[in-house]
Amino acid sequence: MLERIPYRPLDCESLPLRLGSRAELVDPLGPATGWRVREVGDGNLNLVFIVVSDKGSLVVKQALPYARVVGESWPMSLDRAFFEHEALKRLGARDPGRVPDLKLFDPAQALLVMEHLTPHKVVRRALIEGEELPRLGEHLGLYLARTLFRGSDWSMPTAARKADLALFSGNVELAGITEELVFSDPFKDAPLNRHTPGLEATAQAVRADRALKIAAQEMKARFATCAQTLLHGDLHTGSVMATVDDTRVIDAEFALYGPMGFDVGVLLAHLWMAYFTRKAHRADASTAARAGDQLLATAETCWRVFAAEFSCLWRTERTGILGGRDLFEDQGDTVGSEAALAHHLDTVWRDALGFAGIEIHRRILGLAHVAEFEAIADLGLRAALERTALAFGRHLAVNRRDMDTVDAVNRIARGME
Ligand code: ADP
Ligand code: MG
Ligand code: MG
Ligand code: MG
């Protein structure tokens, strides 16, 4: 059996030989002699193959024992495939239909076989190319509410919750990467950092900005100490694939317990970065204006749907450790319950703004950058747009307590251009 073979990375030639006896692939695809394989991994860490036959197609994702973005000099545990599988199972149960169907997990080979999402496109790419995704904000708002609520102490009973927390605390290597690459490196002169030529003075100023560094440290403390729910942990627009009417979340290997605002804030940050760069990727002013309106509307819908769905779950599914009905509803105090809900949503919102501000910094000054900026060939334009996004990100992180609504934040984004 495959499990007894020591780990070896797959390639397009070896994949049919090594997986050709697995019923999970042969049943849907037919015999391996008819498979066509290509490697499509565009992420920072793993191998991803699309396997196609005349009967259908599947995706095989395999972890490498090092970080692909840096190379073999950065060893990484294969365990992340295990955590990705465990996380996708939970996220899929909490918001059915929003992650790819899982077909097979092979721990020894650190590989996952899943539904091939087609004709879905990675949302980052779709947004750069000017595609309209009218359901994106709604779908992601629902996803965030359902996964973050149902993974939390408001939903889960004590034993299951503690067991889950213990399990995911094993994903320590990826937690450590986020702690360093997101919350620390961009705010100091770290060896893995890079930035666009022309941004030197801005990078220096960031590293001397005490108020911003205090905010970064506060958000890092929140991330590291507030084990509120099971997060996706890497929910940027490159971890979402969509069509006009369907939206799927992929790439959950960073899953860990953390504050709800982290997933929300990272996602919003990438929508706002798409907003700041839209003109560079559009031929004319009117399509850029329309794209800008749509991106801000997507951010607004995402937060509003999140808040509405979360409120609905709060009223109907609050059965876990933090149920709290005994303190409120059971004593006839629904107003008290609603006040507790409003207080919690306010905390998630402030956290989300703080995390969004930090995420923008790490994507411009840290190791892992994003195509919205990287694809702008004119380095002067790229640096100028990055400066604007950084100013916006700083405002979010430092002044997160002063911005009450997503509409207010969108107005600030418009005003900063
Ligand atoms: P990494 O962890 O290395 O970032 P991802 O899970 O993000 O890997 O996958 C990398 C790329 O592979 C995605 O950006 C997407 O293009 C493709 N991909 C991943 N999963 C699927 C899937 N289920 N269906 C179609 N394409 C996928
Ligand atoms: Mg990825
Ligand atoms: Mg659908
Ligand atoms: Mg990944």
PDB file of all heavy atoms in Angstrom, residues 97-98 120 135 139 243 245-248, ligand 3:
ATOM      1  N   GLY A  97     -20.627  23.058   1.203  1.00  0.00           N
ATOM      2  CA  GLY A  97     -20.557  23.479  -0.191  1.00  0.00           C
ATOM      3  C   GLY A  97     -19.574  24.597  -0.461  1.00  0.00           C
ATOM      4  O   GLY A  97     -19.403  25.009  -1.608  1.00  0.00           O
ATOM      5  N   ARG A  98     -18.921  25.102   0.564  1.00  0.00           N
ATOM      6  CA  ARG A  98     -18.053  26.259   0.349  1.00  0.00           C
ATOM      7  C   ARG A  98     -16.575  25.892   0.249  1.00  0.00           C
ATOM      8  O   ARG A  98     -15.734  26.751  -0.011  1.00  0.00           O
ATOM      9  CB  ARG A  98     -18.291  27.283   1.488  1.00  0.00           C
ATOM     10  CG  ARG A  98     -17.892  28.691   1.173  1.00  0.00           C
ATOM     11  CD  ARG A  98     -18.541  29.262  -0.058  1.00  0.00           C
ATOM     12  NE  ARG A  98     -19.931  29.587   0.114  1.00  0.00           N
ATOM     13  CZ  ARG A  98     -20.818  29.600  -0.889  1.00  0.00           C
ATOM     14  NH1 ARG A  98     -20.455  29.306  -2.122  1.00  0.00           N
ATOM     15  NH2 ARG A  98     -22.075  29.898  -0.657  1.00  0.00           N
ATOM     16  N   HIS A 120     -13.852  27.464 -12.138  1.00  0.00           N
ATOM     17  CA  HIS A 120     -13.516  28.499 -11.161  1.00  0.00           C
ATOM     18  C   HIS A 120     -12.137  29.092 -11.433  1.00  0.00           C
ATOM     19  O   HIS A 120     -11.237  28.396 -11.893  1.00  0.00           O
ATOM     20  CB  HIS A 120     -13.516  27.918  -9.751  1.00  0.00           C
ATOM     21  CG  HIS A 120     -14.832  27.354  -9.340  1.00  0.00           C
ATOM     22  ND1 HIS A 120     -15.450  26.314 -10.006  1.00  0.00           N
ATOM     23  CD2 HIS A 120     -15.669  27.693  -8.340  1.00  0.00           C
ATOM     24  CE1 HIS A 120     -16.595  26.047  -9.434  1.00  0.00           C
ATOM     25  NE2 HIS A 120     -16.759  26.864  -8.419  1.00  0.00           N
ATOM     26  N   ARG A 135     -21.551  37.572  -6.510  1.00  0.00           N
ATOM     27  CA  ARG A 135     -21.964  36.860  -5.293  1.00  0.00           C
ATOM     28  C   ARG A 135     -20.845  36.750  -4.263  1.00  0.00           C
ATOM     29  O   ARG A 135     -21.043  36.196  -3.179  1.00  0.00           O
ATOM     30  CB  ARG A 135     -22.415  35.431  -5.664  1.00  0.00           C
ATOM     31  CG  ARG A 135     -23.449  35.344  -6.770  1.00  0.00           C
ATOM     32  CD  ARG A 135     -24.816  35.831  -6.341  1.00  0.00           C
ATOM     33  NE  ARG A 135     -25.361  35.171  -5.161  1.00  0.00           N
ATOM     34  CZ  ARG A 135     -26.022  33.997  -5.173  1.00  0.00           C
ATOM     35  NH1 ARG A 135     -26.179  33.334  -6.287  1.00  0.00           N
ATOM     36  NH2 ARG A 135     -26.510  33.507  -4.049  1.00  0.00           N
ATOM     37  N   HIS A 139     -21.295  35.393  -0.425  1.00  0.00           N
ATOM     38  CA  HIS A 139     -20.843  34.037  -0.112  1.00  0.00           C
ATOM     39  C   HIS A 139     -19.767  34.046   0.975  1.00  0.00           C
ATOM     40  O   HIS A 139     -19.780  33.212   1.884  1.00  0.00           O
ATOM     41  CB  HIS A 139     -20.287  33.357  -1.370  1.00  0.00           C
ATOM     42  CG  HIS A 139     -21.348  32.966  -2.347  1.00  0.00           C
ATOM     43  ND1 HIS A 139     -21.086  32.678  -3.661  1.00  0.00           N
ATOM     44  CD2 HIS A 139     -22.688  32.824  -2.196  1.00  0.00           C
ATOM     45  CE1 HIS A 139     -22.208  32.359  -4.292  1.00  0.00           C
ATOM     46  NE2 HIS A 139     -23.198  32.451  -3.417  1.00  0.00           N
ATOM     47  N   THR A 243     -16.686  31.419  -9.551  1.00  0.00           N
ATOM     48  CA  THR A 243     -17.306  31.724 -10.839  1.00  0.00           C
ATOM     49  C   THR A 243     -18.304  32.838 -10.546  1.00  0.00           C
ATOM     50  O   THR A 243     -18.388  33.330  -9.421  1.00  0.00           O
ATOM     51  CB  THR A 243     -18.063  30.514 -11.398  1.00  0.00           C
ATOM     52  OG1 THR A 243     -19.129  30.199 -10.482  1.00  0.00           O
ATOM     53  CG2 THR A 243     -17.172  29.298 -11.560  1.00  0.00           C
ATOM     54  N   ASP A 245     -21.372  32.556 -10.098  1.00  0.00           N
ATOM     55  CA  ASP A 245     -22.389  32.205  -9.100  1.00  0.00           C
ATOM     56  C   ASP A 245     -21.922  31.222  -8.027  1.00  0.00           C
ATOM     57  O   ASP A 245     -22.726  30.789  -7.203  1.00  0.00           O
ATOM     58  CB  ASP A 245     -23.673  31.709  -9.772  1.00  0.00           C
ATOM     59  CG  ASP A 245     -23.388  30.592 -10.749  1.00  0.00           C
ATOM     60  OD1 ASP A 245     -22.346  29.923 -10.607  1.00  0.00           O
ATOM     61  OD2 ASP A 245     -24.174  30.403 -11.667  1.00  0.00           O
ATOM     62  N   ASP A 246     -20.651  30.869  -8.017  1.00  0.00           N
ATOM     63  CA  ASP A 246     -20.168  29.962  -6.969  1.00  0.00           C
ATOM     64  C   ASP A 246     -18.859  30.496  -6.395  1.00  0.00           C
ATOM     65  O   ASP A 246     -18.073  31.129  -7.110  1.00  0.00           O
ATOM     66  CB  ASP A 246     -19.960  28.549  -7.539  1.00  0.00           C
ATOM     67  CG  ASP A 246     -19.666  27.523  -6.453  1.00  0.00           C
ATOM     68  OD1 ASP A 246     -20.230  27.651  -5.344  1.00  0.00           O
ATOM     69  OD2 ASP A 246     -18.874  26.605  -6.701  1.00  0.00           O
ATOM     70  N   THR A 247     -18.628  30.238  -5.131  1.00  0.00           N
ATOM     71  CA  THR A 247     -17.429  30.707  -4.427  1.00  0.00           C
ATOM     72  C   THR A 247     -16.927  29.580  -3.545  1.00  0.00           C
ATOM     73  O   THR A 247     -17.701  29.002  -2.790  1.00  0.00           O
ATOM     74  CB  THR A 247     -17.777  31.931  -3.536  1.00  0.00           C
ATOM     75  OG1 THR A 247     -18.436  32.910  -4.329  1.00  0.00           O
ATOM     76  CG2 THR A 247     -16.525  32.530  -2.924  1.00  0.00           C
ATOM     77  N   ARG A 248     -15.631  29.266  -3.638  1.00  0.00           N
ATOM     78  CA  ARG A 248     -15.057  28.184  -2.826  1.00  0.00           C
ATOM     79  C   ARG A 248     -13.790  28.671  -2.142  1.00  0.00           C
ATOM     80  O   ARG A 248     -12.988  29.388  -2.731  1.00  0.00           O
ATOM     81  CB  ARG A 248     -14.696  26.979  -3.686  1.00  0.00           C
ATOM     82  CG  ARG A 248     -15.809  26.428  -4.507  1.00  0.00           C
ATOM     83  CD  ARG A 248     -16.922  25.800  -3.690  1.00  0.00           C
ATOM     84  NE  ARG A 248     -17.753  25.052  -4.619  1.00  0.00           N
ATOM     85  CZ  ARG A 248     -17.637  23.733  -4.803  1.00  0.00           C
ATOM     86  NH1 ARG A 248     -16.789  23.023  -4.072  1.00  0.00           N
ATOM     87  NH2 ARG A 248     -18.382  23.132  -5.695  1.00  0.00           N
TER      88      ARG A 248
HETATM   89 MG    MG B   3     -23.741  27.883  -5.965  1.00  0.00          MG
END
